[in-house]
Amino acid sequence: MGFLAATAATAAASVYPSTYMELRWVRGRGKGKSELNFKPSMIPIYISTNPSDINPQELSQLFISCNHSCNRFPILDSRDRTVEEAVDIDKLCLALSHSFVVVSVFSNLALSDDESSKRLMVPLLGNLAQRVAPVTPSNGQLVGFGRAVSDVGLTASIHDIMVIPSLRRMGIGRMIVQRILRMLTSREIYDIATLCSEEERLFFEACGFGNDILGSTTMMYAKTASTGFGGSQMV
C-alpha cells in the first residue's frame, strides 16, 4: 500500500474506528504527452455507509455537478421545453430516510466543478501534508454517492450512482455498487435490479448486472389524469 497510504490508514483508523468507515486509495488517470509533468496520483477517498455523514445541500450540489436529475417527469414550459428544476431538499431528505443502503464517498483532493473537465492538479509527491491527513466527511468533499431501496426481505433496486466528472474512470463508481451489493447480499437479498440508460449499461455489466433470467422487460408507469369522457390523457 505504500508509506503514505499506510500512514493515512493508520491515522484514520485511530480516529474513526467505526465499521461505517473505510479509507481507500484510487489511482488517478494517466496524462497525455502534453502533460508528462503530471504523473498519475494516488488519491485518498473515504467510503461511508452512515447516512448521517451526508449533508443534503452537498448532495444536491453533487446531483447538479453530475447532471443527474431527481425527476423522471420533467416540468415543461408553454413551448414544451424542459424547465431545469432545483433539487427539492425536503424530498431528497425523505428519499434518504427511506433508503435501505446509502453509500457516500469523500475526497479532499477533488477538483471544483468548474475544473472538472481539466486535469487533477496533484502531482504524485505533491502536497504531502494534505495527502497524509486522513480524509473524513468533515474535511472532505462529497464526490460520489449511491443508494438502494428494498423491502428488506426479497428484492432491492439501486439508484443514483454518481461520481463527479473529475474523478471518474478510477473505479469509484464500481466501489459504490460493490459496497451496496455486499450489504444487500449480507442480508440474503439477491433479487437486485437497477434502472440505467444505454450509456450506463456497460458500467453495470462490469459490476455484474445483465438481462433478467426471467426475460422480463422494464415498464414504467406513465403519469396520467382522468378526463371527463372516462378516458385518460398524458400529463
Side-chain angles (χ1 to χ4, degrees):
M1 181 165 60
F3 171 76
L4 293 180
T7 303
T10 301
S14 63
V15 179
Y16 294 93
S18 170
T19 56
Y20 290 122
M21 182 276 288
E22 181 177 347
L23 184 65
R24 300 282 292 272
W25 288 66
V26 293
R27 183 172 295 279
R29 288 169 284 180
K31 309 306 175 186
K33 294 182 179 179
S34 62
E35 300 177 278
L36 292 178
N37 57 321
F38 287 97
K39 299 179 180 180
S41 303
M42 292 299 292
I43 301 170
I45 61 173
Y46 175 109
I47 305 175
S48 171
T49 55
N50 188 346
S52 64
D53 286 337
I54 298 177
N55 181 313
Q57 292 288 348
E58 293 180 0
L59 181 57
S60 69
Q61 286 300 314
L62 183 65
F63 270 87
I64 295 171
S65 299
C66 296
N67 194 29
H68 188 90
S69 176
C70 299
N71 304 291
R72 182 165 298 279
F73 301 103
I75 294 178
L76 304 178
D77 62 15
S78 58
R79 299 181 181 179
D80 290 337
R81 295 177 301 189
T82 301
V83 178
E84 291 188 7
E85 303 171 71
V87 178
D88 188 320
I89 298 296
D90 292 335
K91 285 191 173 183
L92 187 58
C93 291
L94 189 61
L96 288 174
S97 68
H98 287 277
S99 296
F100 183 56
V101 178
V102 175
V103 176
S104 52
V105 179
F106 300 85
S107 176
N108 56 11
L109 297 180
L111 294 176
S112 58
D113 295 339
D114 59 348
E115 296 174 304
S116 62
S117 61
K118 302 178 183 178
R119 58 182 178 270
L120 292 173
M121 300 299 291
V122 183
L124 183 61
L125 298 178
N127 204 347
L128 179 62
Q130 185 181 15
R131 296 168 68 77
V132 172
V135 183
T136 69
S138 60
N139 69 14
Q141 174 188 345
L142 181 65
V143 299
F145 175 80
R147 67 188 182 95
V149 295
S150 175
D151 57 17
V152 197
L154 297 174
T155 66
S157 57
I158 295 176
H159 302 271
D160 301 327
I161 303 297
M162 296 177 286
V163 177
I164 62 171
S166 62
L167 296 185
R168 289 175 184 170
R169 298 200 299 272
M170 296 182 186
I172 297 176
R174 186 179 295 194
M175 288 182 188
I176 294 172
V177 174
Q178 288 174 341
R179 182 58 55 85
I180 293 174
L181 293 175
R182 187 190 310 171
M183 296 184 69
L184 291 174
T185 55
S186 69
R187 298 288 295 268
E188 298 186 352
I189 299 172
Y190 300 103
D191 189 349
I192 306 168
T194 184
L195 192 65
C196 62
S197 65
E198 280 299 320
E199 294 179 355
E200 299 168 325
R201 185 179 180 88
L202 290 178
F203 165 76
F204 280 103
E205 286 180 347
C207 293
F209 287 78
N211 294 329
D212 185 10
I213 60 175
L214 298 180
S216 60
T217 301
T218 301
M219 299 181 69
M220 300 300 299
Y221 168 70
K223 195 161 56 170
T224 58
S226 299
T227 68
F229 300 98
S232 62
Q233 65 182 23
M234 185 68 68
V235 176

